[in-house]
Amino acid sequence: SVGSIGWINLYIGEFEEALRWMKKTVALNPTNPFCYNGVGAIYLDLGDDINAEEWFNKALELQPDSTYAHACLSYIYLAQGKYQQAIERAQKILSIHPDDLVCLYAVGYVELFQGNYAQVEKYWQNAITIFSTEAGVRLGMRHTTVALAYIYWKTGKQDDAQKMFDQSLDLARKELEQGSERDSVLFDLATINAILGNKTEAYRWLQQAIDAGWRDYRWALIDPRLENLRND
């Protein structure tokens, strides 16, 4: 479909093509909030907050409880350092959808950026519980274990953290062996190595993530998990 072409181009970092196809999708489906979220996602990756907010708010006009739109708006505020606005937005939607993974991640990241590790652990441990099915393992267990392992690492639970890092590395390698080309797999590998201080490996995987389409540079500049690379 037209929308699928737009999302594919977004995932591989071809923003101009992604925007062209996604706006065509909106023209064909003017009442579908998912299409407006797609345009907002492109502007978000471009760092164009004004346009991103406009399109996410258009999605919310059509679907007020859109978890994706609320979460993305929370990320925008987080990137701007507006922590209060970010947490209010994330908690608002989490109160409606307490077991929604998108919401749990959004709230968890705001708490992470403020150093509230106990709160982060609560939210992301809940996400781990949700990812207890086989489908869950395939879809997001890797990313969740990386996130939670960082919290253990920062709170002195090195052994627990290392076990979770090993689990994440194993899941990532299996995805790569099965032919996955998702930049998120490669970025998680870069993140793990950055946390552990393996800079050479971290940069190697980060470059591969960029080659695969990863473009979220602004996030990398503020993500606490990449703090060991920050001064390079």
Side-chain angles (χ1 to χ4, degrees):
S1 69
V2 174
S4 296
I5 296 173
W7 284 104
I8 290 169
N9 276 285
L10 172 60
Y11 291 146
I12 63 175
E14 297 291 343
F15 296 126
E16 186 175 339
E17 275 295 287
L19 197 56
R20 183 168 71 88
W21 284 101
M22 206 68 80
K23 285 190 174 181
K24 185 179 291 187
T25 304
V26 171
L28 294 171
N29 304 276
T31 61
N32 187 335
F34 186 70
C35 301
Y36 292 86
N37 279 329
V39 178
I42 297 168
Y43 282 121
L44 179 61
D45 276 2
L46 286 169
D48 186 341
D49 294 345
I50 293 175
N51 273 311
E53 283 189 68
E54 179 183 343
W55 284 88
F56 287 130
N57 281 318
K58 286 180 179 179
L60 290 172
E61 288 175 9
L62 294 168
Q63 184 186 356
D65 65 343
S66 170
T67 56
Y68 185 83
H70 281 293
C72 287
L73 286 169
S74 177
Y75 288 136
I76 289 173
Y77 300 141
L78 186 58
Q80 295 173 343
K82 300 175 181 177
Y83 297 132
Q84 189 59 38
Q85 286 180 255
I87 195 66
E88 286 175 0
R89 176 73 63 166
Q91 287 182 336
K92 176 181 178 181
I93 195 63
L94 185 65
S95 68
I96 302 172
H97 302 286
D99 295 324
D100 187 283
L101 292 164
V102 172
C103 300
L104 288 167
Y105 278 133
V107 176
Y109 276 120
V110 181
E111 298 289 6
L112 172 66
F113 274 54
Q114 297 183 94
N116 299 329
Y117 296 140
Q119 287 295 97
V120 181
E121 183 175 350
K122 181 183 74 172
Y123 291 124
W124 285 349
Q125 187 60 59
N126 191 6
I128 288 281
T129 301
I130 294 171
F131 277 132
S132 59
T133 65
E134 183 181 352
V137 171
R138 289 199 304 269
L139 291 171
M141 180 65 83
R142 165 185 42 78
H143 183 71
T144 310
T145 52
V146 173
L148 192 56
Y150 173 75
I151 299 304
Y152 290 153
W153 189 262
K154 294 293 288 186
T155 54
K157 303 174 185 176
Q158 263 68 30
D159 290 342
D160 291 334
Q162 190 63 59
K163 288 177 183 177
M164 298 195 81
F165 284 138
D166 291 341
Q167 181 183 358
S168 299
L169 289 168
D170 184 56
L171 289 168
R173 292 190 186 104
K174 286 179 179 177
E175 289 183 58
L176 294 176
E177 289 170 0
Q178 292 168 3
S180 173
E181 298 179 359
R182 292 184 65 86
D183 58 7
S184 61
V185 182
L186 302 163
F187 184 72
D188 278 347
L189 287 166
T191 300
I192 293 170
N193 281 284
I195 294 168
L196 297 175
N198 304 327
K199 289 189 176 184
T200 301
E201 278 292 285
Y203 286 128
R204 183 170 74 86
W205 288 113
L206 187 57
Q207 183 60 59
Q208 289 192 40
I210 292 169
D211 294 342
W214 180 83
R215 296 289 184 272
D216 205 354
Y217 302 121
R218 180 170 64 167
W219 188 257
L221 291 171
I222 59 175
D223 189 335
R225 296 170 302 173
L226 299 180
E227 60 190 355
N228 287 333
L229 308 181
R230 196 78 74 234
N231 294 327
D232 290 355

